[in-house]
Amino acid sequence: MDATAQLHLSFEPAAEGTTVLRVKQQQPPWRVVRGFPAPSGELLAHIHNVSGGVLDTDSLDWRIDIAPGAQAQVTTTGATRVYRSRSKDRVASQRARVKIGEAAYLEYLPDQLIPFAGSRFEQTVRVELDRGASLIWWDRIAPGRDAAGESFAYASLASSFEIAAGGEPVATERWTLEPLLRRPDSIARLGPFRYFASCYVCRAGEPSAYWRSFESAMQPIADRLSGSDVLWGVTSLRAHGLVIRGVAKSGRSLADGLVELWKAAKWSLCGRVATLPRKVH
């Protein structure tokens, strides 16, 4: 069954420095129940796709607004599974629009994306930061269902990711993988690695010198975590943030390193001890 679904979440400041969640719109298969206080002070929300995955004709849209001063942590209830496409003209899509108000904070920590054999999927994300707004946003991509013997058996996987601060472009990242047409093990793509991840760390208004110093503090951690099976790097952006990237031969080594780098980045960015979001089902 074809599906077009809208999800709109609004995180708003409440009494005594707390945050409340308002679910302004949700259509199946989206499901968000309520917010939970996180140990580090944010309000945690779980985005659940009740269909169990992304179907080949799904067009999924979600929007998150973080009001000035609100503090939010968002995760998924499990991996994003992208199911097989039944024909070339069936391309599943997911679009996200995120607005973070002045002095607000958003942490987006989803589980990995798993493209099944024969799947076609494209995702688009745009994040807008007001002055003093902070963001940590990670993504993890698997090569497929390893347990089923599927690795780079999907037809296409495309991503467009943009961050703007005060209307000024901060980062633009676009890529497309078509492993059945172009070998992913090419040195120009992933080489010997099969999993990859990125983590953006931003605060609108911080000067370039702040991010160069931040990069210098994070790079030794990335170097320590790197080895023959996994590589990490840290790069400051032109302004307002930095990006951490990793490639790995196993999903476990990538996930473990990403969590350690996230914990260090969160402490440096806002002085909070990072705690992985608890899962609900």
Side-chain angles (χ1 to χ4, degrees), residues 112-115 140-146 152 154 157 194-196 251 254:
Q112 67 181 347
L113 186 148
I114 305 174
R140 290 185 289 142
I141 311 296
R145 294 186 297 169
D146 270 349
F152 297 114
Y154 54 87
L157 181 63
R194 301 188 309 125
Y195 294 79
F196 60 99
L254 188 75

Side-chain angles (χ1 to χ4, degrees), residues 241-264:
L242 59 77
V243 60
I244 303 165
R245 299 190 190 279
V247 291
K249 295 179 180 179
S250 77
R252 173 57 58 190
S253 61
L254 188 75
D256 290 347
L258 182 60
V259 168
E260 188 162 346
L261 287 158
W262 161 65
K263 288 180 176 180

Side-chain angles (χ1 to χ4, degrees), residues 81-92:
R81 297 170 176 84
V82 184
Y83 296 133
R84 177 184 295 273
S85 174
R86 289 166 287 179
S87 65
K88 291 182 178 180
D89 62 340
R90 292 178 181 263
V91 180

Side-chain angles (χ1 to χ4, degrees), residues 8-249:
H8 183 189
L9 305 179
S10 178
F11 292 83
E12 302 170 6
E16 300 178 353
T18 61
T19 297
V20 297
L21 169 63
R22 304 194 189 282
V23 181
K24 294 194 169 182
Q25 183 180 24
Q26 63 177 345
Q27 299 171 330
W30 293 125
R31 179 67 172 166
V32 175
V33 179
R34 65 184 181 91
F36 300 88
S40 50
E42 303 86 17
L43 190 72
L44 166 63
H46 302 81
I47 297 179
H48 186 196
N49 182 331
V50 298
S51 67
V54 181
L55 307 178
D56 65 353
T57 54
D58 278 354
S59 176
L60 306 175
D61 294 275
W62 53 271
R63 172 182 167 187
I64 296 177
D65 296 323
I66 316 295
Q71 311 289 302
Q73 184 182 71
V74 177
T75 187
T76 52
T77 56
T80 298
R81 297 170 176 84
V82 184
Y83 296 133
R84 177 184 295 273
S85 174
R86 289 166 287 179
S87 65
K88 291 182 178 180
D89 62 340
R90 292 178 181 263
V91 180
S93 65
Q94 181 170 285
R95 293 171 294 276
R97 293 168 294 155
V98 179
K99 174 75 171 178
I100 308 175
E102 186 172 349
Y105 176 80
L106 171 64
E107 199 166 57
Y108 180 62
L109 313 172
D111 291 272
Q112 67 181 347
L113 186 148
I114 305 174
F116 283 31
S119 62
R120 294 176 172 85
F121 181 64
E122 55 187 28
Q123 61 179 3
T124 303
V125 177
R126 179 172 174 82
V127 182
E128 297 182 4
L129 306 170
D130 286 344
R131 183 166 184 81
S134 300
L135 170 74
I136 297 181
W137 183 292
W138 81 30
D139 264 315
R140 290 185 289 142
I141 311 296
R145 294 186 297 169
D146 270 349
E150 293 179 5
S151 183
F152 297 114
Y154 54 87
S156 64
L157 181 63
S159 175
S160 174
F161 182 81
E162 298 178 351
I163 301 176
E168 173 189 3
V170 172
T172 300
E173 176 181 320
R174 293 188 178 94
W175 52 262
T176 299
L177 287 176
E178 297 173 304
L180 304 181
L181 299 177
R182 301 174 184 84
R183 292 174 58 111
D185 59 357
S186 162
I187 195 64
R189 296 179 183 91
L190 292 173
F193 303 102
R194 301 188 309 125
Y195 294 79
F196 60 99
S198 63
C199 180
Y200 282 87
V201 182
C202 301
R203 178 180 291 133
E206 294 289 359
S208 298
Y210 172 88
W211 296 108
R212 289 194 296 269
S213 176
F214 204 135
E215 177 186 344
S216 296
M218 293 296 297
Q219 189 60 56
I221 303 172
D223 292 341
R224 175 173 56 81
L225 293 171
S226 296
S228 60
D229 292 336
V230 59
L231 294 176
W232 290 101
V234 183
T235 305
S236 55
L237 304 174
R238 182 173 59 83
H240 308 296
L242 59 77
V243 60
I244 303 165
R245 299 190 190 279
V247 291
K249 295 179 180 179

